[in-house]
Amino acid sequence: MDYDENFLTVEVFSNQLFAPNLPRIHYRLVGLNENWQDNGVSNRIRFTNLSYGNYVLEVKAINSFNVTSNVLRIRFTIARPFWLAWWFYCILAILLAFIIWMYIRWREKAMRLKQEMLERKIAERTAEVVAKANEIVLKKAIIED
């Protein structure tokens, strides 16, 4: 059964047609509870919210003459949810590594663009300073003449 199919109802029936009283049903779910549970004369056994794992439902009936039936064993498994599977953790790790790698690449690109912008500003300012220095030299030459 899938992980979300964790509600189980079992109905058991006796083959005793002519008994003064209905048989008492006893059950236990190995893997959840090791003790026998008395279900009274109800033939319906319900389990809700079972977690994933392997289970064995054991059922026996005790008739009005205090004779116990053979134990009926029903084996079933509730599958582990996919988010608890090893492959899901691997996918998450790969996805996380990819996201971190993409973030680093984005930061490197942003820093490279910022560095190029700063280098352009430095080149512009240097050109302005050189132009001013040339202008000063030119004015000095004019003044000296």
Side-chain angles (χ1 to χ4, degrees):
M1 292 190 278
D2 286 339
Y3 68 92
D4 59 347
E5 295 175 352
N6 56 1
F7 298 93
L8 180 68
T9 300
V10 177
E11 291 187 26
V12 293
F13 296 96
S14 171
N15 62 355
Q16 288 188 340
L17 299 176
F18 303 106
N21 296 325
L22 293 173
R24 296 189 65 81
I25 306 296
H26 295 268
Y27 69 91
R28 70 177 175 181
L29 188 59
V30 178
L32 179 68
N33 190 354
E34 303 299 322
N35 299 326
W36 286 96
Q37 305 293 319
D38 185 2
N39 204 40
V41 295
S42 174
N43 66 336
R44 188 169 290 160
I45 303 169
R46 289 191 178 113
F47 299 101
T48 59
N49 262 350
L50 293 173
S51 63
Y52 64 89
N54 298 319
Y55 296 97
V56 178
L57 175 62
E58 295 180 341
V59 179
K60 66 181 177 180
I62 301 174
N63 66 12
S64 57
F65 303 111
N66 215 19
V67 175
T68 303
S69 69
N70 293 334
V71 176
L72 170 68
R73 288 180 179 83
I74 302 170
R75 296 179 189 281
F76 63 95
T77 300
I78 297 177
R80 180 182 298 228
F82 70 91
W83 60 85
L84 295 177
W86 64 269
W87 55 266
F88 186 75
Y89 288 121
C90 290
I91 290 173
L92 282 180
I94 291 170
L95 184 63
L96 182 64
F98 178 73
I99 289 171
I100 291 171
W101 179 76
M102 288 298 293
Y103 177 74
I104 291 171
R105 297 272 303 173
W106 174 75
R107 291 279 299 165
E108 285 177 351
K109 184 178 178 182
M111 292 191 72
R112 207 175 312 116
L113 290 174
K114 190 174 184 179
Q115 184 178 3
E116 288 173 2
M117 182 185 70
L118 288 173
E119 286 175 359
R120 270 189 264 122
K121 279 187 180 181
I122 290 172
E124 288 173 7
R125 299 282 166 90
T126 304
E128 288 176 12
V129 169
V130 168
K132 291 277 185 185
N134 288 340
E135 186 180 327
I136 291 171
V137 169
L138 183 62
K139 285 184 181 181
K140 180 183 175 193
I142 292 174
I143 292 175
E144 287 178 357
D145 282 341

